[in-house]
Each structure stands twice: as C-alpha cells, then as structure tokens.
Amino acid sequence: MSKILVTGGTGYIGSHACVELIESGNEVVIVDNLYNSNIAVLDRIEKLTGVRPTFYEMDILDADGLRRVFHEHKIDAVIHFAGYKAVGESVEKPLEYYHNNITGSLTLYMVMKEVGCKTLVFSSSATVYGSPKSCPIEEDFPVSTTNPYGSTKLMNEMILKDICISDPEWSVLCLRYFNPIGAHKSGLLGEVPNGIPNNLVPYIARVAIGQLEYLRVFGDDYDTVDGTGVRDYIHVVDLAKGHVSAVNHALGVKGFDTINLGTGNGYSVLEVLHAYEKACGKTLPYKVVERRSGDIATCFASTTKAKEVLGWEANYTIDEMCEDSWRFTQMNPKGIGTDL
Ligand code: NAD
Ligand code: UFG
C-alpha cells in the first residue's frame, strides 16, 4: 500500500483516480483549492469506497501549506492534476494560466525536492503533439503548442525532464491524455463544466438534457470519415485506472518518461453524437458551422507504449462512455454539490 498525494483530487479526472487508488488499496491525501470542483465530491468518494480521503483545501501555490501536508503524511508519490484547463480561456488570460500551471507546479516540485519525495505522475495532454504528421501518434513524435494552456503542459514536461537529469533519484511519468469523457458507472462522479461547455461531450450532454438548443458541429469538410473532426475519446474510469498502473510503475523505476493514455480508436463528431443519441434515446439537433480555429482533423493515440510499460489498456466502448455520461447528467442536472 502506498500513500499518494493527489493534487486536484476533487476535480473530474482526479476524483475518479482517487476512487481507483483507494479501491486498489492505496491511501489518498487530496490537495485542492476547489477552484473548479465542489467539496461534495468527498462525500461521493466516501460513498463509493467507504473511505473518506484526507482533504486539504489548499492552493498548490502555498509552499508552506504543502510543506505542512508532507510533514503530516509520509507521502510515497504525487499525482499532479491541479491546474487550469480551458484552451480558449488560456489565450485570454495567459498570465493566470502560466502562474497557476507553471508557478504552482514549480512550487510543488520545490517542496517535493525539499522533503525528498521524488516520485511524480503528471497530467499532460495530447495537445503537446500540436498538429501531428500522422496517426496513430507515438510518444517520440515532435512536440509543439499553439496556445498558452498547451505551452504550460509542454513546459512542465521540460522542467520535469531537467529535474530528472539533475538528480537520478527522481521518477517522473508524464501521461499524455487524449480526450477523457464519460463518468463513474454509479452516476456519482463526472464532469461539471463551468458555464457553457467548450468540449464536445459535455456540450452534447447539455443538449440532451434540454439546457442547450443544438450542437454546433465545427466543420464538416475535414479529410475524415464524414468530414467532421476525429478524436480518441477515452472513458475517465479507464484513464483513472491508468494512473494506478502509472504510479505503481513510477514507484519501481527512476528517470523520466512520457506515455500516451488513449484507446487507439478515433471517432468523428457525428459518430459521437449518434452514440449519445442511442444512449439517451432521443434525436439530438445539430447545425454544421465554421471550423473552430486551432482544431486539427484527426488525433488518436498509439497505445503500444502504455501496454508495454504499464501493462495497461483502455476497455470501455464509446457507447458505454455516452451511457455513463448520460446517467451522470440525468442524476446531476445542476452539477455536484447542488443535490444529493
Ligand atoms: P478539473 O478542473 O476538473 O480538475 C482540476 C482540479 O484542480 C480542480 O478541482 C481545481 O479546483 C484544482 N485546482 C486548479 N488550480 C489549483 C491550484 N492552484 N491549487 C489547488 N488546486 C487547484 O480538470 P480535469 O479535467 O480533472 O483535469 C485534470 C488535469 O488533467 C489538468 O491538469 C488538465 O489540464 C489535465 N488534462 C485534462 C484533459 C481533459 O480533457 N479533461 C485533457 C488533458 C489533460
Ligand atoms: N466540437 C464540435 N462542437 C463543439 C465542441 C467540439 O464540433 O461544441 C468538435 C471539435 O471541433 C473537435 C471535437 O469535437 O473536432 C473534439 O473537441 P473537444 O473540444 O471536445 O476536444 P479537443 O480535441 O479540441 O481538445 C481536448 C481538450 C484539450 C486537450 C486536447 C488534446 O479540450 O484540453 O483534447 O488532449 F488539449
């Protein structure tokens, strides 16, 4: 059993990871400032696992606070989810994004170095591949970014690589997520976007529940199966299980590595819409509009390295992802913390 510090542990992916970590016998300590999550998530993790994780309402920019956490707990490894994640907003507010995602992360890494906790799993993103030359995308493909959010992910990877070069005691795995969607089967945990969703499945969910009128499909003239954008959607529970494998692996090796977490399958916008229609039993209206600036046609992962290194692969189908998203949406029409 290991004791894992989970930053951002009340957020969408972090909360699912906490459940999987606890269910596989680990102890979890969460640090989250609740900027984009609700304290009620803790009740739900407890309801699902029978264990209430230790929780610190704290900002990762608070170095003294983090020192206190490490002194109060003998932490074996950190999984670092905390950060801002909206691509469009990062273009409007670059300073806030760099401050939170870079200064915040640096603060965490400095304190980890100080206390001698040198095992880390970092939430990176497929966005670091920029516009990939081909698919499936392998981990050694060239990296580049087109917005401040993506830059914060790539910069974190560079910083962590340099830390590992400077001190061979460190073990760091950067997990490059493709498109996490879906929710816990219980309907108790899921994604609660702030305001009007930017991402496809949260948007479709709002159309299905009647809070938004129709889906805008951003372009149908890409070189894809039906002209709409293709992505590698991965169930958040598969992703969470990937973190359990990753942290176990990181605890047994030294050095820096990057690993894709995806399914290796690509689905178009219309294919996802139709899977969601099947899940909710309704026809969902949509209109094709202009391409969204910065979007690429196709993006899906090579999953070979994750299988080889972590012994992990995704299992859930696109239909299950949509069914679980729909169950969560129906059970939590106003989000988490407003009911139950
Ligand atoms: P989320 O917003 O649901 O969770 C992030 C959590 O971090 C929130 O609970 C928020 O309150 C907390 N947080 C933010 N800044 C903090 C700070 N300074 N101190 C303490 N807590 C802070 O996001 P998510 O979808 O669960 O994403 C988790 C991580 O995965 C993020 O780093 C994100 O960039 C990355 N990621 C997400 C996706 C995706 O599509 N969801 C894709 C690739 C990578
Ligand atoms: N789309 C629509 N209408 C919408 C929303 C999205 O047609 O209302 C389309 C997009 O054009 C794209 C696909 O649906 O073809 C997926 O779009 P998302 O916004 O859901 O996801 P992205 O692939 O654009 O971006 C996501 C995360 C990023 C992350 C990236 C790579 O939002 O943070 O995956 O991992 F960097």
Side-chain angles (χ1 to χ4, degrees):
M1 191 194 81
S2 305
K3 198 166 194 176
I4 314 293
L5 173 62
V6 182
T7 75
T10 45
Y12 172 48
I13 306 170
S15 59
H16 289 84
C18 287
V19 168
E20 297 304 319
L21 286 164
I22 294 169
E23 286 185 341
S24 52
N26 299 288
E27 207 176 318
V28 163
V29 176
I30 297 176
V31 165
D32 198 303
N33 64 0
L34 301 179
Y35 171 82
N36 195 33
S37 53
N38 191 290
I39 189 79
V41 165
L42 293 178
D43 301 334
R44 296 183 174 204
I45 294 174
E46 184 176 5
K47 199 166 176 184
L48 287 169
T49 63
V51 178
R52 193 172 184 84
T54 306
F55 176 70
Y56 291 84
E57 183 173 343
M58 186 182 286
D59 200 300
I60 54 165
L61 284 152
D62 175 2
D64 283 337
L66 290 177
R67 284 186 189 104
R68 183 158 57 84
V69 175
F70 280 100
H71 286 127
E72 288 176 0
H73 302 273
K74 204 201 151 305
I75 302 292
D76 297 298
V78 177
I79 306 184
H80 178 29
F81 292 103
Y84 296 161
K85 63 166 180 177
V87 173
E89 187 183 61
S90 79
V91 178
E92 311 290 320
K93 299 179 175 173
L95 276 173
E96 286 84 343
Y97 269 68
Y98 286 115
H99 186 55
N100 199 49
N101 293 8
I102 300 292
T103 316
S105 298
L106 284 174
T107 307
L108 172 69
Y109 308 153
M110 294 286 279
V111 174
M112 287 178 69
K113 181 185 165 196
E114 237 174 77
V115 301
C117 176
K118 297 181 177 178
T119 303
L120 177 83
V121 172
F122 173 68
S123 294
S124 189
S125 166
T127 195
V128 301
Y129 295 114
S131 196
K133 59 179 191 253
S134 61
C135 286
I137 302 172
E138 292 173 12
E139 285 82 351
D140 59 3
F141 274 25
V143 286
S144 67
T145 62
T146 52
N147 57 71
Y149 166 73
S151 299
T152 69
K153 291 296 171 194
L154 193 52
M155 285 178 190
N156 263 282
E157 289 198 4
M158 292 161 69
I159 291 163
L160 290 166
K161 192 172 183 181
D162 287 339
I163 294 174
C164 290
I165 290 169
S166 76
D167 178 353
E169 286 297 307
W170 280 81
S171 171
V172 175
L173 275 184
C174 292
L175 302 179
R176 294 172 173 167
Y177 313 154
F178 281 67
N179 291 54
I181 61 166
H184 196 271
K185 281 254 171 281
S186 61
L188 292 177
L189 296 175
E191 184 169 16
V192 185
N194 232 335
I196 296 181
N198 297 307
N199 296 118
L200 179 65
V201 171
Y203 200 104
I204 294 177
R206 296 283 184 98
V207 175
I209 198 93
Q211 293 171 356
L212 290 169
E213 204 184 335
Y214 60 89
L215 174 71
R216 290 168 305 154
V217 174
F218 297 139
D220 67 352
D221 56 354
Y222 288 104
D223 183 16
T224 62
V225 57
D226 55 21
T228 66
V230 167
R231 297 290 183 275
D232 184 341
Y233 297 94
I234 175 168
H235 196 296
V236 65
V237 171
D238 271 334
L239 193 67
K241 289 179 195 288
H243 287 75
V244 178
S245 306
V247 80
N248 286 337
H249 177 76
L251 281 163
V253 296
K254 302 285 180 214
F256 175 88
D257 213 350
T258 53
I259 299 186
N260 290 339
L261 294 188
T263 66
N265 303 313
Y267 289 97
S268 74
V269 173
L270 292 179
E271 285 171 335
V272 174
L273 182 71
H274 296 321
Y276 214 100
E277 289 181 326
K278 200 155 67 163
C280 70
K282 305 177 198 179
T283 301
L284 301 174
Y286 70 89
K287 286 184 192 165
V288 176
V289 299
E290 287 292 288
R291 288 182 177 196
R292 183 171 66 180
S293 125
D295 274 355
I296 53 177
T298 303
C299 174
F300 61 91
S302 162
T303 57
T304 311
K305 190 169 174 184
K307 277 183 217 152
E308 281 175 6
V309 176
L310 303 179
W312 167 91
E313 62 184 314
N315 288 311
Y316 288 101
T317 62
I318 192 75
D319 286 343
E320 289 171 296
M321 299 180 214
C322 294
E323 285 159 17
D324 293 343
S325 161
W326 178 232
R327 185 178 310 103
F328 174 77
T329 304
Q330 283 178 294
M331 284 173 64
N332 308 271
K334 292 185 183 140
I336 295 177
T338 50
D339 51 2
L340 198 85

